[in-house]
Structure formats: C-alpha cells, structure tokens
Amino acid sequence: MLKKISIVVIGLFVVLFAAAAAIPLFFKKEIDAKIKSSINESVNAKVDFKDLDLTLISSFPNMGIKINNLTVLGIDSFAKDTLANIKQLQLNVNLMSVIKGETYEIKSINLEEPRILAKVLKSGQANWDIAKKDSAAAGTDTAKTTFKVALQKYAIEKGKIVYDDASLGFFMEMDNLNHTGTGDFTQDLFTLKTQSDIEKLTVKYGGIPYLNKVKLDADLPLDIDMKNMKFTFAENKIKLNELLLSAVGYLAMPNDKDIVMDFKFDAKQSELKNFLSLIPAIYASNFKDMDATGKFAMDGNAKGTYNEKSLPAFNVNLSIENGKIKYPSLPSAINNIQVKSQISNPDGVMDHTVVNVTAFHMEFGQAPIDGRLLLKNPTTDPFVDLALKGKLDLKQLTAIFPMKDMTLSGILDADVQAAGRKSSIDKGQYEAFKASGQMVASNFNYAGKNVPMPVSVPSAKMTFSPKNINLSNLTAKVGKSDFTANGTVNNYLSYFFKKNQALQGTFNVSSNLIDVNELMGPKSTAETEKKSDSKLSVFEVPGNIDFDMTAKAGRVLYDNYDITNAKGALEVKNKTIYFKDMGMNMLDGTVKMNGSYATIDPKKPKVDVDFGIEKMDIQKAFTAFNTVKLLAPVAKFAKGVFSTNLKFNSDLDQNMMPVYSSINAEGLTNIIQAVLDGFEPLNKLASALSSDKFKKLELNNVLTKFKIKDGRLNVAPFDIKKEGILMNVQGSNGLDQSMDYQLGLNVPRAMLGAKANETANAFIAKLNSKAGTNVAMSETIKVNAVLGGTILKPTISLKYGAGDTKAGAKDAVNQVVAEKKEEIKAVAQAKVDTIKAQATEKAKNAIADKINGLFKKKSQ
C-alpha cells in the first residue's frame, strides 16, 4: 500500500514539475507580443531585446519573464545616446493573471548588469521623457493596461548608473551598484526597506567633485504615503568610506513640479580620520596606518520647496578642532589643524547663499599655512574676500606623507589677498578691487620611480595686482628640455567673474632644447613595432584664451625631425592658433611659415599655411611628409635639393592628417640640383625611344609651377635640358597614383640608333635626287609622348605612332622624312622660281636694249 502511495506521489510530483516547465511555453508567444506592443504603444524610443525566456520553477508561485539584452536608444536630440543597456530584466508576474489573460500583475523586478544614462540638456529636456503623448486617448479609460504594478520587491545587480544634468551643472555616477528594495506597493501606507552598496560613487556640482569614487553602504528604510507621495526617513545609516552619517525628515512630491523637503543630517562619529577617508589621495595611500586625532563635526539641514524657480533653505557646517595627522613610520606631522566653515542659505534664494571659511590653519612640521574665504551674492554681484599665506618646505612633505621612491624638494612661498565685487571689475574700476601679493617657487625638484621624467624649477615668481598677474624669472627643466619664460596675464579677474570671457596674456618663451618625444612619454613595445601605424589625435585649441607669444628654441626633437633655430610668434585666439613669421631649419633646409590651425569645429580642423622652403633635401622631405609621398611620388626616385613657395589649405581628419580631397594648394618649386633615377615612367620612355639616355635625368635649376586641387597635383609646363635634349613637361597625377602627362621632346637623331638613321638618310637622298636638291637631314627630331597609367605601371604612347611602342624610333624617322620631303619640295620650288626670275630679268634686259636701240636710230 505504501509503495503504491509513493508511486502516486512521485508521479503527481513529476506531472506537476512537467506542468510547471510546460505552462510557460504555452504563453511565451502571447507574452512576447504583449511586451512588444506595450513598449511600442507607450514610448518614443528605439527599444529592442535579443530574446525572451519564461520560467515558473525558480519564481513559483509567480511566472518569471526574462528579457535578455534589452536596449533603449534615444531619438532626436539623444539619437547618439544609449539610455539603457540591460543584460537581463526579469519580471515576476502573478501566474493567475497570465492564465486568465487579464492585465499582468508585476510582483517583482530584477535588473542584472544595467548600464543606464539619465541625461538632461541645458534646455531642461530629459532623455527619459520618452512616453508618447496620445491626446486621442486622453478621454478614454486608461485603467486598462497590459501590465499593472503590484510590486513587492525590486533589485539591481552590478549596475552602472550615470545622471548628467547640464541644466543644473550636476553629475552623479554610481559604479558597481547593488541595490534591493522590499515593500508592498499595493498599499497606500507601507515601509520600503532599501539596502545599497556602491563601489565607486562620484558627485560633482559646478564642475567641483564633492565625492570622488567613494564607497557607499546604506540601509535606508522609508515610510511611504502613496496618496500624498510622502517619503519619511526611518532609522537609517549611510556610510561613505569610513564616515558614518544619518538623516531624519521627509521628502514629498505633491505634484509633478515640486519636491517639498524638511530633513537634517549629521555625522554620527566625531573622529577626524573618518572624515579624511573622503579625500581620495589620503584614502588610497596607507590609510589604515595613519594616525589622526582631533575633533570633527559636520551637520546640515534643508527645508522648503525645490522646483525650476526655487530652492529650499539650507545650511551645512563643517569644523575641525586641534587636528593632527601623522604616520607612525615618519618623523614629522601636520599639526594644529583648525577649520571652521559654513555654507548657508536662509530663504532658498540662490543669491543669498554665503560661503564662509572663517578659519583655516595647519602646520606642516613647524611651517604654518593660514587662509580664509568669504563669498556672497554669487549670482548677482559676487563679493569675495580671500587670503592665503604660508611658506612650505616641500622636502618636509616627504617626512609627513609616505612617498616611496620619490624625491621632492624646494620652497613655495605665498602671500596673496583679494577683496572686492565683480561689478568693480566689470566697470574697469580696478582700484576698488583689492588684489595683491606674490607666489615664489625656488629650487623646486621632483623626481621618482613613477615620475616619467625629473622636473626642476630653479626659480619662478608670480606677482598679483588688480589688473594682471606678472610672471617673471621662470626657469625650468623637464627631462632634457629646458625653458625660460616671462609674461603677463592681463584680465584674470574678468575671466574669473564673467562668463564667456577670454583670458588674455602675453608671454616670451625660449629654450635651448625641447625634446617633444621625451615629453610625450615613452612608447610601448607595440607602438615601437608599429611606428608607421601610430596616429595623432586632434588637439583642440581652447576657445577661452587670447594669448600672444614669442617663442625661440635652439633645437626641437619631434618624431624623426631634428629642428634647429626655431623662432617666431604665436597668437591663440577664437579656437585658432596663428603662426607669424615662424622660421626653422630642418631636413637640411630652411622653413618659413605664416598661417593658422583652427578647431572652431573640432570634428573638422582646418589648416591654412604659406610655406617658404629653401634648399631642403628631397629624400628627407619624401620620408618626412605623407603629403609629398601621396602627391609627389616621383620624389622617392630623386636625390638632390629643392626650394619651394607653397600656399596650402586643407581640412584635417581626426588623426591630424590632411583630407586629400579638400586640399587646395599652389606654388613654385625650384629643383636646384637633383638626379632622377629608377623612375619607371622614364624607363618606359627610354624603351619607347630606344635610348637609355632617358633612364636617368640630371636636373639643375628647373622651375615649375604647380597646383593641388580635388586630390590631384597639376603641373604647369616646364623645360628640362639634357645633353642636347629639350623636354617640355606638363600634366597631373592623383592620390590613386594615376598619371596624365604630356611630353614634348626635341631629340638628337643620333639617339635614335644607327639603323634608324640609315633608313632616314637613304630616303632623304632619294628625294634630293628626284628634286635635284641637296637638303641634309636635321640634327634633331620632334617627339610628342603621352604618359598614362600609374607611377608603378606606366603606359606611354607616341602621338604619331600606330600604338606599338616598339615602332617608336621608326615612326620618328618617318616623321622626319615627311618633314624633309616637304623641305625638299620647298627647295626645288625655290630653285624653279629662281630660274624663272633670272629668265624674266634677262628678257626684260633684252627688250630694254632693243627699245633703246630703236630710239637711238630715230634720233639720228
């Protein structure tokens, strides 16, 4: 009997298990269709997912809907953004609601490895505002939807969420977020228990990082009133690195525009070390070994309404009393740390915000540093009153902080004060704004195992006044490179206070050696092996500076270039660098340059330059410049020296290479002396004319005009003379190495070979015999040739030929014979004309004699 019961139970279990596995299959097609139709009907975005899995066993008594590789792509202003990329989204829905075919009740949601970007533009437009606005449906019953939230649990695993709000200047990133929340969302009043841990939390406001990759652990239960949308903090704890905080109060959203709040927070622990854990440089380096004593306090509150027009009133206090930081293994410490600061706003009006650091004092060993800061009326007419004074021996820092394998020394001496309103600067009333003091650096040295190259600054001085900052006596050495500089920054206060104000300055910089290769850092083995494939990236010229600079460098090492005697002037303005009277020696020649490099559109940089090059080595120019390689490939086969004047403008790609189809250039080149050898088009010409004399050309003072347009180098007619040969060349070649050149040659007939000359001489002799003339064959013949094909596979045709290049010499003779035939005819005709003229003259004389004789007889 027991055996039968066991069999029945096992059989029943198998049937139920099979049913649990099979039931989802019956509804998969219907659920898939409902999900897609629900998404498409409700959002303005590109939503897609790879596939859909259903399960009942792991989610019983609910049905699990697993959506894999879900992506949500933005449209219009957010077309390039991915709003969400979720590895797996699991919805656990009420099984009976699925079986009945009614609205699906969602019981829990789980997001696995979501990557979410929440973005707000300066205009206030948000990328998550993708719900369709269906006015036609406004009057219909909206209660009936495909899915209904009856949530009791939700979770996020290994998430990364970014909130970037350009309208507020607020940025938050939560990296490796794990979060769970449990509560009955079907009730009007319930407690939502949440637990969060974030491996790296970053918060920035106005570009200032308030939290930088901080670890967060939080248990934050909320008492929720769904009818009034009010969320009250229950007993909670929030841990940022080692700092433990708690909050009391509430947040409420009475409508879709306002957030009403009234809450307070404070630090539950008063140890200074816990606060110092929020400083990344300290927390990341031997934090556990650090001793920190002193009293620390932080608290704050916010009360009021937050919306587009108002802020809540708020207050934040932070203080440190009698602080001390010391590492036991090191001899010195930071002593007597005293800080008292407050950020307050009494009524939510942003302009009434006051930042007041009334005390800031610390002693590095025995060297004190003191400061203060007061900022008022930040939005209308900012008032600032600040001071900083101290003399720091940098070597003392190595006795305070653990700095392994590092050398640091030098003196920094600062005494700076500033006080006044922005309006004084706007009106040019600099005397009403007090700014004075100086900062001096002397004998600064910095080197170490993790420092790419040693840095030394023997001297530098900055002097402050309301009108400018004066830089003087700057001498520095970075690695092998040395610098000296002086100059002024003329409107630093206007730049600080005004929006869209360019920082103006004038500088003089000089150097004996600038090793750019070293300054750019060592190249990896892979980069060295693939040097020819290494690519530059676009350098975007800042748009907020207006600098004039004169520069002079005895030697500059960059890539394979060894540049000497570099000098000239630079102007940086409106996202453009202007080069003025730049000059340098490189590649055995001299380069002079005027022009500009502009990144007004960083995606499409432009260069516009006038070059003057004197006596540069052709082979070195070909090796150094890609433009020469592509548009003047003949230079590969030329050895010698050239000069050129070139006007050049082009767009650049993102690797700082010219966009060849956009190049416009023209100039005049003088090939001072060169030998052209091994150039396949010349070999082809020599073969066509049966003369090796054309395989190698010696060029001297050959002038040629050229123009680059639409990706082709167009060469104006120019002459080449060689051993009695006169060659006229004109035509073009392109980026694809194609050629289209016309050659006009006067060739000594001796170069056509003995056999060709014998044939020509015999024919000329026969013509002379018939005509009774004695015309000799000319010493030169004319040949017209067309070069086509490509540089490596050229084609050639002789204009008068039958197309067979082997018959070129014979055709040349035929042409000369034809020319001589006409010449003989002309000579013979001239001979006949001479005989006729002589006979006519003789007849005229005879008639005249007879007439004279007749008149003589009559007179007798």
Side-chain angles (χ1 to χ4, degrees):
M1 184 66 178
L2 182 61
K3 184 177 180 181
K4 289 182 179 180
I5 294 173
S6 299
I7 292 173
V8 171
V9 171
I10 292 172
L12 182 61
F13 179 78
V14 170
V15 170
L16 291 174
F17 186 83
I23 286 174
L25 299 178
F26 301 146
F27 297 99
K28 182 173 182 178
K29 186 175 181 180
E30 179 185 352
I31 292 173
D32 185 284
K34 282 195 174 185
I35 290 176
K36 288 184 176 179
S37 64
S38 178
I39 291 173
N40 291 329
E41 290 172 1
S42 59
V43 300
N44 287 311
K46 298 177 182 178
V47 182
D48 194 15
F49 54 86
K50 184 178 180 181
D51 53 36
L52 182 73
D53 290 331
L54 302 179
T55 180
L56 188 59
I57 297 172
S58 62
S59 58
F60 190 81
N62 298 312
M63 175 179 285
I65 303 173
K66 295 181 179 180
I67 303 173
N68 298 313
N69 297 323
L70 173 65
T71 60
V72 182
L73 304 179
I75 59 174
D76 299 332
S77 300
F78 303 101
K80 296 182 179 180
D81 294 335
T82 300
L83 281 68
N85 188 343
I86 304 171
K87 183 178 180 180
Q88 186 180 86
L89 168 64
Q90 180 167 340
L91 307 174
N92 291 328
V93 300
N94 183 295
L95 177 59
M96 293 307 297
S97 69
V98 176
I99 293 174
K100 293 178 180 179
E102 299 173 348
T103 299
Y104 297 169
E105 293 183 359
I106 300 175
K107 295 293 187 179
S108 66
I109 300 174
N110 186 77
L111 284 76
E112 182 179 341
E113 295 185 24
R115 301 291 182 265
I116 297 172
L117 172 63
K119 190 173 183 179
V120 182
L121 302 179
K122 287 185 176 181
S123 62
Q125 183 181 0
N127 68 344
W128 64 81
D129 186 14
I130 58 176
K132 287 185 177 179
K133 296 177 176 62
D134 188 357
S135 58
T140 62
D141 185 3
T142 58
K144 295 182 179 180
T145 58
T146 304
F147 291 91
K148 175 184 177 181
V149 177
L151 204 61
Q152 293 181 347
K153 182 179 180 181
Y154 66 92
I156 299 172
E157 300 177 19
K158 298 180 180 179
K160 182 174 183 178
I161 299 176
V162 174
Y163 177 70
D164 187 358
D165 191 334
S167 66
L168 297 175
F170 181 81
F171 175 88
M172 180 171 64
E173 179 179 79
M174 295 177 281
D175 194 3
N176 199 7
L177 164 68
N178 293 284
H179 174 84
T180 60
T182 57
D184 191 350
F185 282 81
T186 62
Q187 302 297 313
D188 291 335
L189 298 172
F190 68 96
T191 298
L192 175 65
K193 297 179 179 179
T194 69
Q195 194 283 325
S196 305
D197 70 81
I198 303 172
E199 184 178 336
K200 297 176 182 178
L201 172 64
T202 298
V203 177
K204 298 179 183 180
Y205 182 69
I208 300 173
Y210 290 90
L211 297 175
N212 188 14
K213 298 181 179 180
V214 170
K215 180 175 175 58
L216 177 142
D217 288 298
D219 291 320
L220 188 62
L222 297 171
D223 293 329
I224 297 179
D225 180 350
M226 292 296 291
K227 282 188 175 181
N228 297 306
M229 289 299 289
K230 184 177 181 180
F231 309 90
T232 303
F233 299 111
E235 186 176 351
N236 58 79
K237 63 177 182 177
I238 304 167
K239 189 177 182 183
L240 301 173
N241 283 348
E242 302 300 322
L243 179 64
L244 189 62
L245 303 172
S246 68
V248 294
Y250 71 87
L251 298 173
M253 292 183 285
N255 52 59
D256 59 354
K257 294 182 179 180
D258 297 332
I259 299 177
V260 179
M261 62 188 72
D262 184 1
F263 70 88
K264 300 177 181 179
F265 72 90
D266 63 357
K268 288 295 184 183
Q269 299 169 334
S270 59
E271 289 84 1
L272 175 61
K273 186 173 182 178
N274 295 327
F275 168 70
L276 294 175
S277 72
L278 297 182
I279 303 174
I282 294 178
Y283 191 64
S285 177
N286 304 96
F287 180 75
K288 293 180 179 180
D289 299 331
M290 182 185 71
D291 290 335
T293 58
K295 186 178 180 181
F296 162 75
M298 184 173 72
D299 62 75
N301 61 75
K303 184 175 182 179
T305 301
Y306 172 81
N307 55 37
E308 293 181 355
K309 297 181 179 180
S310 68
L311 291 171
F314 59 88
N315 186 68
V316 179
N317 300 290
L318 186 150
S319 64
I320 301 172
E321 295 181 7
N322 304 319
K324 180 178 180 180
I325 300 173
K326 187 179 187 307
Y327 288 88
S329 60
L330 295 172
S332 191
I334 301 177
N335 300 302
N336 195 18
I337 303 172
Q338 310 289 340
V339 178
K340 189 173 182 180
S341 62
Q342 181 185 49
I343 303 174
S344 63
N345 184 295
D347 52 15
V349 178
M350 192 64 185
D351 192 49
H352 296 168
T353 302
V354 177
V355 178
N356 193 7
V357 182
T358 55
F360 180 84
H361 176 88
M362 62 181 63
E363 299 168 7
F364 288 84
Q366 301 300 317
I369 293 179
D370 290 277
R372 70 172 189 274
L373 171 65
L374 175 63
L375 175 63
K376 299 188 296 183
N377 306 118
T379 60
T380 56
D381 187 10
F383 172 84
V384 63
D385 182 1
L386 64 86
L388 179 66
K389 184 177 182 179
K391 189 173 184 178
L392 180 62
D393 184 350
L394 297 176
K395 192 173 183 178
Q396 184 74 23
L397 294 180
T398 62
I400 297 174
F401 296 104
M403 298 181 182
K404 189 177 181 181
D405 300 322
M406 181 183 295
T407 299
L408 180 65
S409 63
I411 302 294
L412 293 179
D413 191 351
D415 187 358
V416 180
Q417 305 86 32
R421 287 195 174 275
K422 172 181 177 292
S423 55
S424 300
I425 303 301
D426 294 343
K427 297 173 183 178
Q429 298 172 349
Y430 294 103
E431 68 281 356
F433 194 103
K434 298 177 182 179
S436 61
Q438 64 180 21
M439 297 180 68
V440 179
S442 58
N443 300 317
F444 173 83
N445 291 283
Y446 179 47
K449 182 179 179 181
N450 297 320
V451 180
M453 62 205 76
V455 178
S456 67
V457 181
S459 66
K461 182 179 180 180
M462 288 192 297
T463 304
F464 295 83
S465 73
K467 288 187 176 181
N468 57 44
I469 300 174
N470 184 59
L471 172 67
S472 60
N473 302 324
L474 171 63
T475 60
K477 191 168 185 179
V478 182
K480 300 174 186 176
S481 304
D482 64 272
F483 304 91
T484 62
N486 59 71
T488 58
V489 177
N490 296 319
N491 65 332
Y492 71 101
L493 290 174
S494 295
Y495 175 77
F496 179 79
F497 284 119
K498 291 183 178 181
K499 291 183 178 180
N500 304 318
Q501 181 77 19
L503 184 64
Q504 299 172 356
T506 304
F507 301 94
N508 299 302
V509 180
S510 62
S511 173
N512 295 309
L513 171 66
I514 302 176
D515 189 343
V516 179
N517 297 326
E518 182 186 47
L519 294 175
M520 292 175 65
K523 294 185 178 180
S524 65
T525 304
E527 287 176 332
T528 303
E529 292 174 353
K530 298 182 179 180
K531 189 171 182 180
S532 60
D533 296 331
S534 61
K535 296 179 179 180
L536 299 173
S537 57
V538 171
F539 165 68
E540 187 172 349
V541 182
N544 58 348
I545 62 175
D546 183 357
F547 286 172
D548 287 316
M549 180 186 300
T550 60
K552 183 179 180 180
R555 189 181 183 193
V556 180
L557 301 178
Y558 174 63
D559 200 19
N560 291 325
Y561 307 147
D562 191 343
I563 301 169
T564 58
N565 297 324
K567 59 182 179 179
L570 298 174
E571 182 182 8
V572 183
K573 188 176 183 179
N574 299 329
K575 297 186 177 182
T576 303
I577 300 175
Y578 298 94
F579 310 98
K580 298 181 178 180
D581 300 322
M582 297 290 292
M584 64 194 76
N585 298 331
M586 63 182 296
L587 305 178
D588 297 342
T590 301
V591 178
K592 295 181 179 179
M593 181 173 63
N594 286 281
S596 64
Y597 164 76
T599 55
I600 297 171
D601 180 358
K603 296 180 180 179
K604 195 176 181 180
K606 293 181 180 292
V607 63
D608 188 348
V609 184
D610 288 357
F611 286 104
I613 298 175
E614 294 289 336
K615 297 180 181 179
M616 183 174 286
D617 182 271
I618 296 174
Q619 279 294 297
K620 290 182 179 180
F622 177 83
T623 303
F625 303 124
N626 286 323
T627 305
V628 176
K629 291 178 182 178
L630 286 169
L631 288 171
V634 65
K636 180 179 181 180
F637 307 93
K639 294 181 180 179
V641 179
F642 77 101
S643 296
T644 188
N645 291 316
L646 169 66
K647 293 181 180 291
F648 179 94
N649 66 78
S650 173
D651 296 338
L652 302 178
D653 63 19
Q654 292 300 296
N655 297 317
M656 295 292 285
M657 291 297 295
V659 177
Y660 292 103
S661 60
S662 72
I663 292 177
N664 284 295
E666 60 180 332
L668 176 67
T669 294
N670 179 16
I671 303 174
I672 299 170
Q673 180 277 323
V675 175
L676 185 59
D677 190 15
F679 188 45
E680 189 58 27
L682 284 185
N683 294 338
K684 202 77 172 179
L685 178 63
S687 176
L689 295 176
S690 301
S691 175
D692 290 341
K693 296 286 186 179
F694 292 96
K695 289 185 176 181
K696 184 176 181 180
L697 286 181
E698 294 182 2
L699 308 175
N700 292 284
N701 295 319
V702 175
L703 291 172
T704 175
K705 291 183 179 180
F706 63 88
K707 180 180 289 187
I708 302 173
K709 190 173 182 180
D710 299 328
R712 291 193 72 82
L713 173 68
N714 299 278
V715 180
F718 67 94
D719 292 332
I720 299 173
K721 295 181 180 179
K722 170 186 170 65
E723 299 177 9
I725 304 171
L726 178 62
M727 181 188 301
N728 182 268
V729 181
Q730 61 181 302
S732 68
N733 58 269
L735 291 173
D736 56 359
Q737 305 293 287
S738 63
M739 296 189 303
D740 182 13
Y741 280 95
Q742 294 80 44
L743 310 180
L745 303 95
N746 287 335
V747 185
R749 64 187 180 91
M751 290 186 180
L752 298 177
K755 187 174 181 180
N757 276 290
E758 287 176 4
T759 303
N761 287 332
F763 196 77
I764 293 296
K766 186 176 180 181
L767 290 176
N768 280 328
S769 175
K770 288 183 177 181
T773 59
N774 188 25
V775 177
M777 184 174 180
S778 174
E779 291 301 318
T780 61
I781 61 171
K782 294 181 179 179
V783 179
N784 293 319
V786 177
L787 282 176
T790 65
I791 299 295
L792 298 178
K793 293 183 179 180
T795 62
I796 189 167
S797 61
L798 302 179
K799 194 170 182 180
Y800 46 78
D804 184 358
T805 57
K806 293 181 179 179
K810 181 179 177 181
D811 293 333
V813 172
N814 289 339
Q815 183 189 12
V816 174
V817 168
E819 291 174 355
K820 290 304 176 184
K821 185 175 179 180
E822 294 300 321
E823 184 181 339
I824 290 170
K825 287 182 180 180
V827 171
Q829 184 63 44
K831 187 173 182 180
V832 171
D833 292 341
T834 300
I835 293 171
K836 286 182 178 179
Q838 290 175 348
T840 302
E841 187 65 29
K842 190 174 181 180
K844 286 180 180 179
N845 291 335
I847 294 169
D849 289 342
K850 287 183 179 182
I851 292 172
N852 288 334
L854 180 62
F855 281 107
K856 285 179 181 181
K857 287 179 180 182
K858 287 183 177 181
S859 62
Q860 291 177 356

